[in-house]
């Protein structure tokens, strides 16, 4: 009769400190404590799932009760205590699942058992798994025994949520923090398991399994069993990503290549192919950002250890990293992060991703465009025009001869760049053209403007200060008074006046340029009539409402209402 099937997570569970994967420092510490005989009465093993907390607790309990430990302080697996433990009939090691035994009565029963000394071996070890699930009363019942247990009693508490354990419990224990197992360690262990099982597995496939396990060896072994059930004795990369529903990393390499060359069409077609395979667009953006992060850490040998992937894929990352400038990667990550945030709130999610890809592909074109040279801000001398006879002066081509435009007076220098003046038609009177020219030459522009033109300029002035919330509130609350070229802004208090005065020069410059009038001046005055009294009491509120709506008073008297 064939022996029953045992899952790999149980079949290959470590039984010695040397066989524990990825926790070298912790196992060395426990082994040294056994060697020196400095054993604490309470331990707390905390860390993510599937990293070896309960396994190490069992190995530790088995080793300290071994009657003939080896030279390197491992259990001998031959003495009566070790055999009893291997056959699961040891009375020295007690395991309690706090998830289902979390009441005060369960802990009281445990305390009664602590009073019984061990029959074989030196210590009675009590392993409480998922200890954070204990109730507050159960924790309190455990406190006294945990602090001063009998000399032969040792408590080992295990939890995945250390922050839920009471500080009074933490202070009574030696705390051991288990870390996530690296992808490299998981791949090596899976290769060892596959070799013992006679299974041929590609390293890329095992790398995908290790990344999917997220640092947990138990999860990795469970996924490995799932792949064996599907693939048989040969596990390939393509079968692995198909079973686990994982997007092939080749898509990321190809779309990065398309973005580097600015090929928007290829990038959009690749994204559509990803969607056709049933993958979520949001997960695609997150995965692409993670791929670029891996490319970035591959650019330097010092950061290369941060790349958690199989050795066979590292060369691909190195090759692509050599093609990607670091500044381009930084800008790409910003675009993808912005796309990820917009994706969560958008109703047209596909369009958000496609627009992000288009913007991303345009980075290369933006970088290739030459930066225009800065224009030197120097005064330019305009030479005086040569006198031309009026009959041949080429001012404007007309089908019919029009009146002669007078010659422009010589301007020695242009102090600053100003908006181009509107070209007047030949029908414009000679006198008005002369007056306008004279005004500009006598102290800048003084173009007249209407109230509607000023209102439009005032709205544009508000848009000029989009982030100055206090100034915008004052401008919205206090309407300016226009007196020719004088603009008077009345405010209600000195604080508002000080706020407007901070931006007075910038506001004047904006209005002068917008309206083409250099004579505009802004004056800020305090108008006490603008001060408002906030109604706090019910009577004050009623008076203000009655003032605005007189019919409320008659309505109140008709119904006989009283203000309280």
């Amino acid at each position: 009769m064939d022996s029953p099937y045992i899952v790999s997570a149980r079949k290959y569970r470590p039984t010695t400190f040397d066989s524990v994967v990825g926790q070298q420092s912790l196992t060395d510490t426990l082994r040294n404590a056994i060697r020196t005989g400095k054993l604490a009465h309470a331990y707390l093993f905390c860390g993510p799932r599937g990293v070896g907390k309960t396994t190490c607790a069992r190995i530790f309990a088995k080793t300290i009760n071994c009657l003939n430990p080896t030279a390197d302080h491992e259990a001998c697996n031959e003495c009566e205590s070790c055999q009893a433990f291997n056959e699961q009939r040891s009375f020295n090691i007690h395991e309690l699942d706090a998830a289902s035994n979390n009441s005060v009565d369960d802990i009281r029963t445990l305390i009664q058992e602590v009073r019984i000394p061990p029959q074989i071996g030196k210590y009675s070890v009590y392993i409480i798994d998922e200890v954070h699930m204990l109730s507050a009363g159960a924790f309190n019942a455990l406190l006294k025994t945990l602090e001063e247990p009998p000399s032969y009693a040792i408590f080992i508490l295990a939890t995945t949520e250390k922050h839920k354990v009471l500080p009074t419990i933490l202070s009574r224990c030696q705390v051991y923090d288990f870390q996530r197992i690296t992808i490299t360690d998981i791949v090596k262990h899976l290769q060892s398991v596959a070799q013992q099982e006679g299974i041929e597995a590609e390293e890329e496939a095992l790398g995908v399994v290790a990344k999917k396990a997220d640092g947990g060896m138990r999860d990795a072994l469970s996924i490995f069993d799932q792949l064996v059930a599907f693939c048989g004795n040969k596990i390939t990369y393509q079968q692995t990503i198909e079973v686990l529903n994982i997007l092939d990393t080749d898509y990321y390499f190809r779309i990065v290549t398309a973005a580097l060359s600015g090929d928007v069409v290829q990038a959009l077609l690749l994204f559509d192919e990803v969607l056709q395979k049933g993958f979520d667009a949001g997960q695609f953006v997150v995965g692409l950002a993670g791929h670029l992060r891996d490319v970035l850490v591959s650019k330097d040998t010092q950061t290369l250890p941060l790349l958690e992937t199989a050795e066979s894929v590292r060369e691909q990352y190195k090759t692509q990293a050599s093609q990607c400038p670091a500044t381009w990667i930084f800008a790409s990550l910003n675009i993808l992060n912005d796309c990820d945030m917009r994706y969560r709130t958008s109703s047209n999610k596909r369009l958000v991703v496609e627009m992000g890809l288009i913007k991303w592909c345009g980075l290369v074109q933006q970088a290739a465009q030459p930066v225009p040279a800065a224009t030197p801000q120097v005064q330019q001398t305009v030479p005086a025009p040569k006198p031309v006879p009026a009959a041949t002066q080429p001012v404007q081509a007309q089908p019919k001869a029009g009146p002669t435009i007078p010659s422009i007076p010589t301007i020695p220098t242009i102090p600053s760049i100003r908006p181009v003046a509107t070209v007047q038609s030949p029908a414009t009177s000679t006198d008005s053209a002369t007056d306008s020219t004279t005004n500009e030459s006598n102290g800048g522009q003084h173009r007249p403007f209407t109230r509607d033109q000023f209102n439009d300029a005032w709205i544009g002035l508000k848009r000029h200060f989009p982030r100055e919330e206090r100034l915008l509130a004052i401008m919205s609350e206090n309407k300016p008074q226009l007196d020719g070229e004088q603009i008077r802004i009345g405010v209600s208090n000195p604080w508002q006046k000080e706020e407007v005065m901070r931006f007075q020069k910038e506001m004047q410059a904006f209005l002068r340029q917008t309206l083409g009038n250099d004579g505009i001046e802004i004056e800020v005055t305090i108008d006490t009539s603008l001060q408002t009294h906030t109604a706090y009491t019910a009577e004050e509120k009623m008076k203000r409402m009655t003032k605005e709506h007189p019919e409320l008073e008659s309505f109140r008297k008709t119904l006989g209402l009283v203000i309280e």
Side-chain angles (χ1 to χ4, degrees):
M1 182 177 179
D2 296 337
S3 58
Y5 172 74
I6 302 177
V7 296
S8 298
R10 291 179 55 194
K11 184 176 181 180
Y12 295 98
R13 189 168 196 168
T15 57
T16 61
F17 287 122
D18 286 335
S19 59
V20 176
V21 180
Q23 310 295 343
Q24 185 67 34
S25 60
L26 295 183
T27 55
D28 288 346
T29 304
L30 293 174
R31 188 180 299 176
N32 289 335
I34 297 173
R35 179 178 59 83
T36 58
K38 296 180 179 179
L39 303 180
H41 62 274
Y43 296 87
L44 177 64
F45 293 171
C46 50
R49 69 185 187 280
V51 295
K53 300 185 298 295
T54 307
T55 297
C56 285
R58 291 178 177 178
I59 296 173
F60 182 71
K62 175 183 176 181
T63 305
I64 61 177
N65 278 316
C66 179
L67 301 179
N68 300 307
T70 62
D72 56 351
H73 301 282
E74 295 276 10
C76 67
N77 285 321
E78 296 178 356
C79 65
E80 176 60 26
S81 177
C82 291
Q83 291 181 3
F85 176 84
N86 294 337
E87 297 173 4
Q88 299 181 0
R89 56 180 177 82
S90 174
F91 290 99
N92 291 355
I93 301 172
H94 311 270
E95 291 192 36
L96 177 69
D97 179 20
S100 56
N101 300 277
N102 54 10
S103 65
V104 177
D105 292 337
D106 295 322
I107 298 302
R108 286 176 179 171
T109 303
L110 178 65
I111 294 173
Q112 293 296 329
E113 295 179 359
V114 172
R115 298 178 181 178
I116 303 173
Q119 302 302 314
I120 300 178
K122 299 179 181 179
Y123 301 98
S124 290
V125 183
Y126 298 88
I127 302 173
I128 305 179
D129 207 359
E130 302 298 335
V131 71
H132 66 274
M133 299 292 288
L134 289 178
S135 63
F139 269 128
N140 292 330
L142 184 62
L143 281 176
K144 186 63 178 177
T145 303
L146 193 65
E147 183 176 17
E148 297 178 357
S151 59
Y152 52 81
I154 293 179
F155 289 89
I156 303 178
L157 314 180
T159 178
T160 56
E161 301 184 42
K162 176 183 174 181
H163 61 280
K164 292 186 178 181
V165 181
L166 295 181
T168 50
I169 296 293
L170 293 175
S171 64
R172 289 165 168 80
C173 301
Q174 284 189 7
V175 181
Y176 287 75
D177 290 304
F178 285 68
Q179 61 186 358
R180 295 183 183 275
I181 306 174
T182 63
I183 291 179
T184 303
D185 289 338
I186 293 178
V187 170
K188 290 181 179 179
H189 187 68
L190 291 179
Q191 287 175 335
S192 175
V193 172
Q195 185 178 3
Q196 296 180 54
E197 293 291 329
I199 297 173
E200 181 182 352
E202 295 180 358
E203 185 179 359
E204 294 86 351
L206 297 182
V208 172
V209 173
K211 198 167 186 179
K212 182 74 172 179
D214 193 25
M217 183 61 71
R218 182 172 60 238
D219 291 356
L221 291 171
S222 298
I223 297 173
F224 178 80
D225 288 345
Q226 181 181 354
L227 291 175
V228 171
F230 178 80
C231 305
N233 292 332
K234 186 176 182 179
I235 301 176
T236 63
Y237 173 78
Q238 290 297 332
Q239 290 174 322
T240 300
I241 61 175
E242 179 182 351
V243 172
L244 302 181
N245 193 30
I246 296 176
L247 183 61
D248 190 356
T249 54
D250 183 59
Y251 281 100
Y252 297 137
F253 284 107
R254 290 163 59 191
I255 201 168
V256 169
T257 302
L260 275 173
S261 59
D263 192 345
V264 178
V265 176
Q266 181 66 14
L268 294 179
L269 290 177
L270 285 172
F271 175 58
D272 180 71
E273 189 175 344
V274 169
L275 295 182
Q276 294 299 328
K277 289 181 175 293
F279 293 99
D280 180 68
Q283 292 299 322
F284 167 75
V285 174
V286 174
L288 185 56
H291 175 80
L292 283 175
R293 177 262 180 196
D294 292 339
V295 172
L296 180 62
V297 300
S298 301
K299 290 187 68 66
D300 196 321
T301 55
Q302 295 182 350
T303 58
L304 192 58
L306 299 178
L307 179 62
E308 294 186 346
T309 186
E311 292 292 338
S312 57
V313 189
R314 287 177 179 264
E315 292 301 324
Q316 288 183 267
Y317 279 102
K318 290 181 182 178
T319 302
Q320 191 164 78
S322 63
Q323 302 169 356
C324 301
T327 54
W328 180 85
I329 298 178
F330 295 145
S332 302
L333 287 172
N334 286 332
I335 292 176
L336 293 176
N337 287 336
D338 181 68
C339 179
D340 183 31
M341 291 187 290
R342 294 176 181 272
Y343 181 86
R344 302 172 188 175
T345 58
S346 175
S347 57
N348 192 345
K349 299 183 181 299
R350 175 167 182 166
L351 180 61
V352 169
V353 179
E354 290 177 339
M355 292 301 295
L357 293 176
I358 294 172
K359 184 178 180 181
W360 182 32
C361 293
L363 285 177
V364 177
Q365 299 177 0
Q366 295 176 10
Q369 293 178 356
V371 180
T375 304
Q377 297 181 355
V378 296
Q379 294 184 348
Q380 301 177 1
T381 303
V382 180
K386 296 180 179 180
V388 180
T392 61
Q393 187 173 3
V395 175
Q396 186 173 358
Q398 296 291 342
K400 295 182 180 181
T404 304
I405 297 179
S407 60
I408 302 175
T410 303
I411 303 175
T413 58
I414 299 177
S416 61
I417 299 175
R418 302 184 182 279
V420 180
T422 306
V423 178
Q424 297 181 356
S425 64
T428 306
S429 65
T430 305
D431 295 337
S432 62
T434 305
D435 293 342
S436 176
T437 305
T438 304
N439 287 339
E440 288 200 19
S441 62
N442 296 334
Q445 300 182 92
H446 289 274
R447 186 184 306 164
F449 54 89
T450 64
R451 179 70 191 188
D452 291 338
Q453 291 174 331
F454 171 75
N455 290 337
D456 294 339
W458 189 258
I459 295 174
L461 182 60
K462 292 181 181 179
R463 296 172 181 171
H464 186 66
F465 300 97
R467 298 184 179 180
E468 302 296 338
E469 298 179 357
R470 292 185 293 183
L471 178 63
L472 293 176
I474 297 172
M475 294 174 65
S476 301
E477 181 181 351
N478 306 297
K479 295 183 178 180
Q481 301 296 326
L482 184 62
D483 184 9
E485 296 177 347
Q486 192 77 11
I487 301 172
R488 295 187 179 89
I489 303 177
V491 296
S492 59
N493 54 63
W495 174 85
Q496 290 187 349
K497 180 178 180 180
E498 181 181 356
E499 183 68 19
V500 177
M501 293 298 292
R502 287 177 53 208
F503 303 94
Q504 181 186 19
K505 293 183 179 180
E506 190 174 352
M507 294 167 68
Q508 285 181 171
F510 180 87
L511 293 174
R512 288 175 179 177
Q513 182 178 1
T514 303
L515 297 174
N517 192 315
D518 291 341
I520 293 177
E521 297 289 340
I522 294 179
E523 180 183 357
V524 186
T525 59
I526 299 178
D527 188 354
T528 56
S529 63
L530 297 176
Q531 297 179 355
T532 58
H533 174 68
T534 303
Y536 293 103
T537 65
E539 294 182 357
E540 292 176 343
K541 294 178 181 178
M542 187 61 189
K543 287 181 181 180
R544 175 168 293 185
M545 294 172 61
T546 304
K547 185 177 180 179
E548 297 178 358
H549 306 283
E551 61 273 11
L552 287 177
E553 183 63 21
S554 60
F555 180 75
R556 182 183 70 82
K557 292 180 179 179
T558 302
L559 297 179
L561 302 177
V562 179
I563 301 175
E564 296 182 353

